[in-house]
Amino acid sequence: MRRICLALPTMRPCASTIADLAEEAAHAVATFEVEVHLLVLDTNDAAGFAENAGAVAALAPAPGVVVHHLGEAQQRTFLRRVTERSGAPDPDLLLDLMLPSAVAYGACTNRLFLAAAALGCTSVHQRNDDADFQTVDGRKVFPIHHELLSLGRPAGEAAAVVTRSELDPADADKPVVLVGGSFIGELSVDVGEIRELDPAVYHDVVGLWAPPLWSEEERNAVVEASFSGAGAAPFTADDSVLGVPDIWHVDMCNIALDRRVYELLPLLPSTETIGSDYFLSHVVLDAGLPGVVHNRHIVNYYTPERRTGPGFVAYQLRFVKFLLSMLYLYPVYGEMMDLGGALLDDRHGLRVEPILDSVRRSAHWDRSRNEHCLDVLDRSYRKLGGKYAELADVVAGRRQRLLDEAQQDVERWAVLIEAWAALVAAARAEGLPPAGEEPAAGTETAR
């Protein structure tokens, strides 16, 4: 029986989300021949963890669903054992890259990947704690339905279970390694207020995301489409497309990946950087591996802390670091696009070495574009005034540190890529900590 990991990373109380995912897991077991490991990786404080633990304890038993709730201490124990077992020369560095003290979207998802390997799962199905499922006639619309129809199957077989196929016949033997959808509701990045205050400033700021060689017309298009997901139209009927995945309509809050991708390459472990968890979507696209994009979009909403005081500054700094990270990611994307099918071996498996070489080279990219980026942000934020002018002061005070961190993040990513195969093997051999090993840190219960 196929074993899969339905994964929820969280750093806040989210009892309703845990309950929703338990329903999704039960739907998967009832509809498909799978065993679902519902994995909650929780980095809450003690009060938040206790609230989530209560939600886990309240779940009704469901045959074929196993729930794992791991707190930060239990995750650290697991990762320490894995890094030491891997034989890497600097296990302490790897532990820091996997579980840093700051918020790290890519690192959090990397932990999901290693935990899934430890559980013997063939795929990871990721959700967010700030999203809801759509409903039709009182029934939740679960993305896992499309994910399990296609993921891992030869693309030629998956063509029979999608609404339409745009598959190149030459790709029929390749596995479907990505299935995803998007979201409706609020922008995925909390920059809508900038657009309301001054559309021209919004254009200048968001336009910094576009590749430097793009034309003004292409830049305008990316600004218009950025962070908007699938718009506002609610779900009415299923639609799914097989072929080269349109990754601009796939979000990490609504994605499933096959182990043949995430067990070979980790995500960028940048701290305090939104968007650092999307690299594998680009790998799938550029390597020519098949995917399915569906319309079972989730509903995105904002948690209140990101719009007030320190929470506002912290979140907007993550957006600044996201823009700075593009200097190093775009060269890697470009080289992967140039390599195309050469990223795959003769068995359709990903070749890691060319990507690792590209990441290493990108770390030495000239910083002048990031200097320009910070100049534009400074002018833009000061033009908006108020709390954005205060944000400009914070960014200016951290200018050199931000530039250094953006480069260091990529250098450390190369170290992680080099060690990743050994970490995955070690995780698979280690397994997750048994229930009760660290009762103050987390729980693991079969339900």
Side-chain angles (χ1 to χ4, degrees):
M1 180 180 292
R2 181 163 47 148
R3 180 180 295 184
I4 69 166
C5 179
L6 178 57
L8 175 68
T10 184
M11 57 182 181
R12 59 178 64 90
C14 58
S16 62
T17 304
I18 291 170
D20 283 347
L21 290 192
E23 286 187 49
E24 187 176 28
H27 169 82
V29 170
T31 311
F32 301 92
E33 197 170 321
V34 293
E35 177 181 285
V36 181
H37 287 255
L38 173 52
L39 174 66
V40 182
L41 290 190
D42 194 336
T43 53
N44 265 291
D45 59 18
F49 180 86
E51 186 172 334
N52 287 340
V56 169
L59 296 176
V65 178
V66 184
V67 183
H68 311 264
H69 181 206
L70 275 66
E72 186 168 350
Q74 197 168 6
Q75 293 176 55
R76 187 172 299 279
T77 296
F78 165 65
L79 292 168
R80 183 173 297 282
R81 291 174 177 172
V82 167
T83 54
E84 291 175 351
R85 187 170 191 149
S86 73
D90 193 346
D92 288 338
L93 172 60
L94 293 177
L95 180 61
D96 184 54
L97 294 179
M98 293 300 302
L99 189 59
S101 57
V103 173
Y105 299 91
C108 181
T109 305
N110 287 338
R111 295 199 298 277
L112 296 177
F113 295 157
L114 288 189
L119 291 167
C121 295
T122 61
S123 56
V124 166
H125 308 249
Q126 185 168 330
R127 309 291 181 254
N128 276 12
D129 61 6
D130 54 0
D132 291 325
F133 294 120
Q134 294 191 69
T135 59
V136 175
D137 298 327
R139 299 179 65 181
K140 294 183 176 71
V141 180
F142 295 126
I144 205 164
H145 188 83
H146 281 299
E147 294 168 352
L148 292 179
L149 281 173
S150 302
L151 194 66
R153 298 177 66 176
E157 293 181 11
V161 295
V162 295
T163 307
R164 64 186 186 277
S165 174
E166 299 174 355
L167 184 71
D168 185 328
D171 294 334
D173 291 335
K174 294 178 181 177
V176 175
V177 296
L178 179 154
V179 179
S182 188
F183 64 90
I184 62 172
E186 299 181 279
L187 298 178
S188 60
V189 177
D190 197 351
V191 291
E193 185 181 55
I194 298 176
R195 185 170 58 187
E196 294 170 4
L197 291 170
D198 192 324
V201 168
Y202 179 83
H203 179 277
D204 290 344
V205 168
V206 176
L208 292 168
W209 182 26
L213 298 179
W214 278 17
S215 68
E216 188 61 26
E217 182 180 2
E218 290 171 318
R219 190 179 306 275
N220 291 340
V222 80
V223 170
E224 182 65 27
S226 290
F227 317 129
S228 59
F235 177 88
T236 55
D238 278 308
D239 183 51
S240 55
V241 183
L242 169 69
V244 177
D246 181 0
I247 63 171
W248 304 111
H249 290 91
V250 172
D251 289 271
M252 289 300 292
C253 57
N254 188 358
I255 194 170
L257 290 164
D258 187 88
R259 65 189 290 180
R260 283 167 283 193
V261 175
Y262 65 77
E263 288 191 352
L264 293 178
L265 284 164
L267 297 167
L268 184 65
S270 306
T271 57
E272 304 293 355
T273 307
I274 63 170
S276 57
D277 48 353
Y278 279 81
F279 180 72
L280 294 182
S281 299
H282 289 268
V283 173
V284 172
L285 173 67
D286 296 336
L289 287 167
V292 172
V293 178
H294 62 80
N295 68 333
R296 292 196 173 203
H297 309 307
I298 56 86
V299 181
N300 183 57
Y301 63 87
Y302 292 145
T303 50
E305 73 274 2
R306 69 178 65 182
R307 291 182 167 180
T308 57
F312 167 78
V313 172
Y315 184 84
Q316 296 300 323
L317 282 173
R318 293 170 198 163
F319 176 64
V320 171
K321 286 198 67 179
F322 158 73
L323 295 174
L324 297 179
S325 72
M326 292 298 108
L327 172 70
Y328 303 101
L329 285 171
Y330 279 132
V332 180
Y333 295 161
E335 290 189 14
M336 289 196 306
M337 288 176 64
D338 290 341
L339 285 168
L343 289 170
L344 302 177
D345 60 26
D346 56 6
R347 301 179 65 183
H348 313 309
L350 282 168
R351 297 174 58 233
V352 174
E353 198 59 38
I355 298 173
L356 175 57
D357 288 344
S358 183
V359 170
R360 286 171 174 155
R361 285 193 297 273
S362 75
H364 303 290
W365 209 253
D366 178 54
R367 288 186 179 186
S368 58
R369 178 166 171 78
N370 273 356
E371 297 272 9
H372 169 73
C373 176
L374 291 178
D375 291 342
V376 172
L377 289 173
D378 188 80
R379 292 195 302 269
S380 299
Y381 291 151
R382 295 190 190 285
K383 185 176 181 180
L384 293 173
K387 63 182 180 181
Y388 287 95
E390 296 173 6
L391 173 63
D393 289 338
V394 174
V395 173
R398 302 187 188 185
R399 183 183 179 100
Q400 191 60 44
R401 174 179 160 189
L402 290 168
L403 292 168
D404 291 343
E405 285 180 354
Q407 179 175 357
Q408 183 185 61
D409 286 340
V410 178
E411 293 170 342
R412 287 155 65 97
W413 185 27
V415 172
L416 186 60
I417 294 173
E418 190 170 16
W420 191 246
L423 289 173
V424 170
R428 192 178 293 117
E430 184 67 37
L432 283 184
E437 183 170 297
E438 294 192 31
T443 63
E444 175 181 324
T445 54
R447 297 196 171 270

